[in-house]
Amino acid sequence: MGSNNLVFLENLEWFDESGKELVHRLPETGSGEIKWGAQLTVRESQVAVFFYKGKAVEAFGPGRHTLKTGNIPILTKIASLPWAMNSPLRAEVYFINMKVFVNLKWGTRDPVAFKDEQLGLIRLRAFGMFNVQVVQPVLFINRMVGTQGVFTTEAVEEYLNLVIVSRFNDFMGERIDSILNLPAKYDELSKDLADRLQVDFMQFGLGMTGIYINSITPPAEVQQAIDDKSRMNVFTDMNKLMQMKAAMAMEKAAAGDTAGQGMGAGLGLMMPAMLAQYFTGHMSSGGQAGGEDHFKCDECGHIVPTDAKFCPACGHQQLVFQKCVTCGKNLTPNARFCSRCGQAVEEKPAHRKCPNCGAEGLGDAKFCGQCGEKY
């Protein structure tokens, strides 16, 4: 790239060879001396954010752009003698991949506690996939990427998994009384979970285009209890049920089949993969997912073109630099307090500690992920 050369201007561009990079910084080694007149080429699936003197100056869409800095070839080097010929006018460009990243995994690392009205306190494992896309590039860099040169899906997947599992536990505790009634709640659980997660993701400039719940599986002993309950519904006569189980055990013993000990394992409660509702607001902005050429202003709801920097109805800035963690209002770059709720910009939300088991969870979580107790 030649960002620190003496004479020649830079030609900045980036290709994602791995298919997993969300953000890539140029220069890769840190800040550089990008000169006046440097050319920036942005592809259709990208957005480039230009940082100058440590601050985000502009976000560039697809096309070729000319960058303006105070670094003039040769003259800047001469003027930089007091700084060992390193210009103090530092600049860098962050390329953001705006495509939809699919098949990211989420799941419970440890079984999640759930209070079942019929089966008591049980632990469930849940697994699935979700799709994510950057919708506010400057906010994403400021909130999650920081000064890292390369930011991949692996780096963001672990944290988002914790958020999904926490919200999933909340919705299970609020909407489901027993896992035996879970199939009737599939659609409601999937839709409401996607809507709630969209609010969490937007705090970091991300949008979730879809979520899939592949399976919710109780422990083996709970699966055995479900098997027994289903058999009792078929056989109204308890004597006939006991006779059937005794006959099955005798048959297994006669065949010498030692695998019969794990008969109940593997039943599970399989959920069909449900694609969550596409998010509204900024997700439809930029036309990245749906190809639309407009979106709604967060402040007034007026229709705004995708290339607009301000809302034509209320004047609200559409390029988000910061977002209030309490009320979600878009903040100006140098704001120290939210103009809507008064929340300090630098103040981060605290984690909640379960009074029963002491485990930590998200600040607004309603149920503990370890013991299932309500906060």
Side-chain angles (χ1 to χ4, degrees):
M1 183 187 64
S3 61
N4 291 315
N5 63 73
L6 185 63
V7 178
F8 301 107
L9 302 182
E10 295 81 8
N11 186 15
L12 307 174
E13 59 182 353
W14 169 66
F15 295 92
D16 181 17
E17 302 293 344
S18 67
K20 296 182 179 180
E21 290 189 31
L22 287 161
V23 175
H24 191 95
R25 183 190 63 213
L26 294 180
E28 296 178 350
T29 57
S31 61
E33 300 175 9
I34 299 177
K35 300 175 185 63
W36 177 285
Q39 297 299 297
L40 173 65
T41 303
V42 184
R43 265 68 192 184
E44 283 288 345
S45 61
Q46 300 174 345
V47 167
V49 180
F50 180 48
F51 278 76
Y52 182 53
K53 298 180 181 179
K55 294 183 178 181
V57 177
E58 182 62 273
F60 297 98
R64 184 169 66 89
H65 310 276
T66 300
L67 303 181
K68 298 179 181 180
T69 70
N71 294 316
I72 309 300
I74 302 178
L75 295 179
T76 300
K77 281 294 183 183
I78 297 175
S80 301
L81 284 173
W83 297 278
M85 300 197 65
N86 291 318
S87 172
L89 305 177
R90 314 304 293 177
E92 60 267 6
V93 175
Y94 286 84
F95 285 88
I96 296 88
N97 202 336
M98 301 296 290
K99 75 172 186 178
V100 178
F101 290 87
V102 299
N103 296 334
L104 301 183
K105 303 295 190 296
W106 73 270
T108 54
R109 181 179 303 174
D110 300 313
V112 176
F114 173 70
K115 279 193 171 182
D116 192 292
E117 290 187 356
Q118 300 187 34
L119 302 176
L121 182 63
I122 61 175
R123 289 191 174 272
L124 301 175
R125 288 186 179 274
F127 301 94
M129 297 180 296
F130 66 99
N131 305 332
V132 71
Q133 181 184 33
V134 179
V135 294
Q136 284 292 346
V138 181
L139 180 63
F140 179 64
I141 293 174
N142 290 336
R143 279 282 176 87
M144 186 162 283
V145 179
T147 58
Q148 298 182 57
V150 176
F151 199 75
T152 63
T153 54
E154 287 82 0
V156 72
E157 194 172 5
E158 182 177 359
Y159 175 76
L160 296 182
N161 176 70
L162 296 176
V163 176
I164 294 175
V165 171
S166 178
R167 298 305 179 206
F168 173 79
N169 193 37
D170 286 349
F171 273 88
M172 286 288 290
E174 290 180 333
R175 310 293 176 86
I176 308 299
D177 53 357
S178 174
I179 60 173
L180 302 177
N181 302 326
L182 190 59
K185 302 286 187 177
Y186 284 167
D187 291 342
E188 179 184 352
L189 182 64
S190 177
K191 181 181 182 301
D192 293 345
L193 179 62
D195 292 341
R196 182 62 183 90
L197 288 172
Q198 185 57 35
V199 177
D200 293 319
F201 280 31
M202 280 300 296
Q203 295 292 332
F204 300 98
L206 293 171
M208 186 181 63
T209 64
I211 182 170
Y212 299 83
I213 305 175
N214 297 122
S215 67
I216 302 176
T217 311
E221 59 272 15
V222 178
Q223 297 177 24
Q224 183 63 48
I226 296 173
D227 278 343
D228 292 340
K229 182 175 178 60
S230 65
R231 292 192 185 103
M232 290 178 65
N233 292 334
V234 176
F235 297 94
T236 55
D237 190 337
M238 183 61 67
N239 291 329
K240 290 183 178 181
L241 174 61
M242 298 305 297
Q243 291 172 6
M244 183 202 71
K245 295 191 71 173
M248 290 174 60
M250 292 174 63
E251 182 180 358
K252 291 286 185 180
D257 186 0
T258 58
Q261 298 176 357
M263 281 176 55
L267 169 66
L269 295 177
M270 300 303 296
M271 269 192 178
M274 300 299 295
L275 176 64
Q277 299 292 327
Y278 276 93
F279 48 86
T280 57
H282 278 284
M283 183 53 224
S284 59
S285 69
Q288 300 296 334
E292 300 181 8
D293 57 354
H294 61 272
F295 59 91
K296 289 185 179 181
C297 173
D298 282 345
E299 193 70 14
C300 67
H302 189 273
I303 299 299
V304 181
T306 56
D307 57 349
K309 297 181 180 179
F310 299 90
C311 175
C314 68
H316 193 67
Q317 181 171 300
Q318 300 303 305
L319 181 62
V320 181
F321 286 77
Q322 297 184 84
K323 205 176 186 74
C324 178
V325 296
T326 301
C327 68
K329 179 175 175 58
N330 299 347
L331 305 177
T332 56
N334 298 320
R336 301 176 67 180
F337 295 90
C338 176
S339 58
R340 177 185 293 169
C341 67
Q343 171 76 24
V345 174
E346 299 297 330
E347 185 177 342
K348 305 300 180 184
H351 286 75
R352 299 189 71 172
K353 196 168 184 178
C354 177
N356 184 51
C357 67
E360 289 190 351
L362 295 180
D364 53 353
K366 298 178 181 179
F367 290 85
C368 175
Q370 291 296 322
C371 66
E373 288 291 337
K374 192 172 183 178
Y375 284 122

